[in-house]
């Protein structure tokens, strides 16, 4: 069973540019969540998509957006990049169809390391 | 919303010692508490979890305890080994949620 696949693994962008990251969930998983991880800040929740709809959203500016396709693959976009956006961006997938079912199957991808220069 | 506090942020032990990481949560409706281990340069991976109807769960050298009254839960690692060195994240999840709330992580360093 394939895991969660994130592409690309590494990105270097300059300030002001925009970037799109991709996440393919485990087959059958319909929920995809995105996190920003920086040293000392832990895992900061960006948003979650389920069946092509944003179901949950964290406290990030509107420059951060995402979408989910009918095959459950998800993309995250960051516009007008700032130096502070440099981070590891992780996505996690889960079945997501019943609340309170815990994080069973809440599986992370290996992440995309974004560096803004 | 839920808030999860995790301590300590860094924990240094000698090989063979025990390590304990503690988390507190704010939402009394939380009923599921997973722990993730993230080795350097790798993805976080679930290592153990516990539900609110259980007070303790063990898996070989790791165990998790839960005190619902005090709203805290802990990860215990016995006979630590250098390969236990990693960042450990606790999380809490309530019945009506689809998303776990994570603590800020604990960097565990096991010295040979």
């Amino acid at each position: 069973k394939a895991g969660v696949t994130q592409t690309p693994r590494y990105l270097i962008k300059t300030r002001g540019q925009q970037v799109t990251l991709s996440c393919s969930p485990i087959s059958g998983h319909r929920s995809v969540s995105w996190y920003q991880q920086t040293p000392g800040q832990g895992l900061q929740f960006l948003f979650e998509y389920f069946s092509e709809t944003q179901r949950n959203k964290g406290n990030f500016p509107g420059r951060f957006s995402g979408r989910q396709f009918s095959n459950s693959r998800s993309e995250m976009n960051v516009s007008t990049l700032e130096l502070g956006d440099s981070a590891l961006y992780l996505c996690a997938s889960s079945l997501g169809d019943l609340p309170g079912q815990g994080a069973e199957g809440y599986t992370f991808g290996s992440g995309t390391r974004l560096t803004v220069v | 919303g839920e808030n999860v506090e995790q301590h300590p942020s860094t924990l240094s032990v000698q090989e063979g010692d025990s390590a304990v990481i503690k988390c507190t949560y704010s939402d009394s409706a939380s009923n599921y508490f997973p722990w993730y281990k993230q080795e350097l340069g790798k993805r976080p991976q679930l290592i153990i979890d516990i539900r609110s109807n259980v007070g303790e769960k063990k898996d070989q050298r790791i165990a998790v305890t839960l005190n619902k009254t005090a709203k805290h839960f802990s990860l215990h690692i016995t006979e630590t080994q250098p390969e236990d060195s990693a960042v450990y994240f606790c999380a809490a999840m309530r019945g009506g949620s689809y998303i776990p709330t994570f603590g800020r992580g604990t960097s565990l360093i096991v010295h040979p």
Side-chain angles (χ1 to χ4, degrees), chain A residues 37 55 100 103-104 108-110, chain B residues 32 36 38 43 51 95 97-98:
Chain A
Q37 186 176 30
R55 188 166 62 177
E104 289 105 336
F108 285 91
S110 295
Chain B
Y32 178 72
Y36 287 80
Q38 185 178 27
R43 70 187 75 189
R51 293 197 173 276
S97 173
Y98 298 93

Side-chain angles (χ1 to χ4, degrees), chain B residues 49-64:
Chain B
D49 55 12
I50 191 168
R51 293 197 173 276
S52 59
N53 59 348
V54 175
E56 184 177 5
K57 184 176 179 181
K58 289 182 179 180
D59 183 2
Q60 299 183 344
R61 294 187 297 107
I62 61 172
V64 57

Side-chain angles (χ1 to χ4, degrees), chain A residues 90-107:
Chain A
L90 291 161
C91 78
S93 79
S94 67
L95 290 170
D97 53 352
L98 292 172
Q101 290 304 299
E104 289 105 336
Y106 201 82
T107 304

Side-chain angles (χ1 to χ4, degrees), chain A residues 23-97:
Chain A
C23 174
S24 294
I26 289 173
S27 178
H29 283 191
R30 294 161 64 191
S31 168
V32 175
S33 300
W34 288 89
Y35 292 86
Q36 182 192 66
Q37 186 176 30
T38 53
Q41 292 299 311
L43 296 162
Q44 295 188 281
F45 174 70
L46 282 152
F47 30 65
E48 182 238 1
Y49 286 86
F50 179 79
S51 292
E52 301 179 67
T53 301
Q54 187 181 86
R55 188 166 62 177
N56 291 279
K57 188 177 187 303
N59 296 321
F60 276 79
R63 300 186 296 107
F64 292 82
S65 63
R67 60 177 175 169
Q68 187 180 35
F69 302 94
S70 58
N71 62 357
S72 294
R73 187 178 72 86
S74 177
E75 288 182 347
M76 190 191 96
N77 185 76
V78 188
S79 63
T80 320
L81 284 166
E82 301 176 359
L83 295 179
D85 297 333
S86 294
L88 179 67
Y89 289 88
L90 291 161
C91 78
S93 79
S94 67
L95 290 170
D97 53 352

